[in-house]
Amino acid sequence: MESNAADELLVELDCLRIYRSGKMDRLHRPVLAPAGVDAVTGVTSKDVVVNADTGLSVRVFLPARPDPSKKLPVLVFFHGGAFVIESAVSTTYHSYVASLAAAAGVVAVSVEYRLAPEHPVPAAYDDAWAALQWAASGKDEWLAEHADNGRLFLAGDSAGGNMVHHVLIRAASSHPAPRIEGAILLHPWFGGNTLIEGEPEATARDMAKIWEFACPGAVGGADDPRMNPTAPGAAGLENLRCERMLVCTGEKDWAGARGRAYHAAVTASAWRGSAAWLESEGEGHVFFLEKPECAKAREVMDRVVVFISGS
């Protein structure tokens, strides 16, 4: 009996399968963490619905601190997962952002954005922008009481790092737009139709398929400017609307070649900010989520803390 062409596998990874028919199996269903007091860090969190119509919500993290009257920077965080999996309230991201809030002394706003294919890209980008505007408005009681929204930061890992770039570019053409002091791109996911030096061919091919699955309207496949910030037609990097940037990757990160190329392009552009760089020797993609207590993960966290402090 002939197999149905629609059932043909396009991509098979540990966490998902994508079929030619457009169906996707999520093989990794994250365990969800409740909001409340985090036993490890002492950070308190709560969930807030930002837009009931779209379903956009955020988890807000407030660290314990000796001087409750001292206002804290705000960090808006976008989780990774190739736009199709994971959650801001999974145990992985709850633990990571709680640790980040405690270590850096920030009020963190972790964004539960809509996932593809149920909500194709650009839904995630729209949610990221809406969450930034909500955080910057200071309307939430925790943000109003504890946050200094004059010190606003963005951060994200993998697809979330891609979203950070997109929000920075969008801010250039939006008026008014919040002033963003700094941006942290942790192992950001970028791509392109033409391989660059150090980019693994098989992984790049699979990730391009996932991108086109998540964003059916992609123009030029992986050379869509949302995936390839240096493609023809992409907004100039001088339009990045932040004052400082930190780009991190791993020596063995499949996305590392693109991360290095992105940092180099930003540095060489007419952007007037400063772009710092950290590559973790011997480490793979988002290793700091899988083994947060290892020495290299602590090094990444320490670098992020120093970056936010401005020292």
Side-chain angles (χ1 to χ4, degrees):
M1 190 168 100
E2 289 186 15
S3 63
N4 187 337
D7 290 336
E8 180 187 346
L9 268 173
L10 286 180
V11 180
E12 183 171 22
L13 304 175
D14 291 342
C15 55
L16 59 84
R17 294 192 197 104
I18 295 174
Y19 299 86
R20 189 171 296 282
S21 64
K23 185 180 77 143
M24 183 178 77
D25 295 332
R26 290 183 174 97
L27 306 179
H28 167 67
R29 295 281 180 175
V31 177
L32 305 184
V37 179
D38 183 71
V40 176
T41 61
V43 170
T44 305
S45 62
K46 67 175 181 178
D47 295 330
V48 181
V49 175
V50 174
N51 187 323
D53 292 334
T54 63
L56 171 61
S57 65
V58 295
R59 177 161 288 183
V60 186
F61 295 81
L62 181 65
R65 57 201 196 281
D67 181 5
S69 66
K70 183 183 177 185
K71 300 279 190 177
L72 304 178
V74 179
L75 182 136
V76 180
F77 188 90
F78 309 124
H79 70 79
F83 298 103
V84 296
I85 59 171
E86 265 298 346
S87 167
V89 301
S90 70
T91 52
T92 297
Y93 282 103
H94 174 91
S95 297
Y96 184 73
V97 179
S99 297
L100 183 53
V106 297
V107 181
V109 176
S110 193
V111 183
E112 184 72 337
Y113 56 85
R114 289 170 290 173
L115 299 178
E118 295 84 358
H119 304 281
V121 175
Y125 293 135
D126 292 339
D127 287 349
W129 180 252
L132 169 63
Q133 290 182 304
W134 176 86
S137 74
K139 291 177 182 176
D140 176 77
E141 59 184 282
W142 282 13
L143 291 167
E145 185 175 349
H146 303 289
D148 175 3
N149 62 9
R151 297 205 64 213
L152 184 60
F153 292 82
L154 300 180
D157 71 293
S158 197
N162 175 298
M163 292 166 70
V164 169
H165 168 80
H166 179 84
V167 169
L168 294 175
I169 292 295
R170 184 165 176 172
S173 59
S174 301
H175 306 284
R179 173 187 166 271
I180 300 164
E181 179 176 336
I184 302 158
L185 288 78
L186 301 165
H187 299 207
W189 176 27
F190 298 120
N193 292 337
T194 304
L195 286 176
I196 64 173
E197 184 179 352
E199 192 173 21
E201 183 176 359
T203 305
R205 185 172 60 244
D206 282 346
M207 297 311 294
K209 290 176 183 176
I210 294 173
W211 163 247
E212 292 182 51
F213 175 76
C215 184
V219 177
D223 273 342
D224 183 296
R226 292 169 290 190
M227 180 48 59
N228 185 353
T230 59
L237 295 173
E238 69 275 7
N239 293 301
L240 290 166
R241 280 299 180 266
C242 66
E243 297 164 21
R244 301 187 285 119
M245 177 181 288
L246 171 63
V247 182
C248 301
T249 190
E251 182 189 9
K252 297 181 179 178
D253 177 9
W254 57 259
R258 292 284 175 178
R260 283 188 289 275
Y262 176 79
H263 176 262
V266 169
T267 302
S269 75
W271 179 60
R272 290 180 290 182
S274 59
W277 169 253
L278 175 64
E279 182 171 308
S280 300
E281 184 181 354
E283 299 295 349
H285 193 60
V286 299
F287 74 96
F288 49 85
L289 296 177
E290 299 159 9
K291 41 183 186 178
E293 297 305 317
C294 76
K296 294 292 184 184
R298 289 198 298 271
E299 183 184 14
V300 173
M301 182 66 80
D302 291 346
R303 188 65 178 273
V304 169
V305 168
V306 167
F307 176 80
I308 290 172
S309 73
S311 56

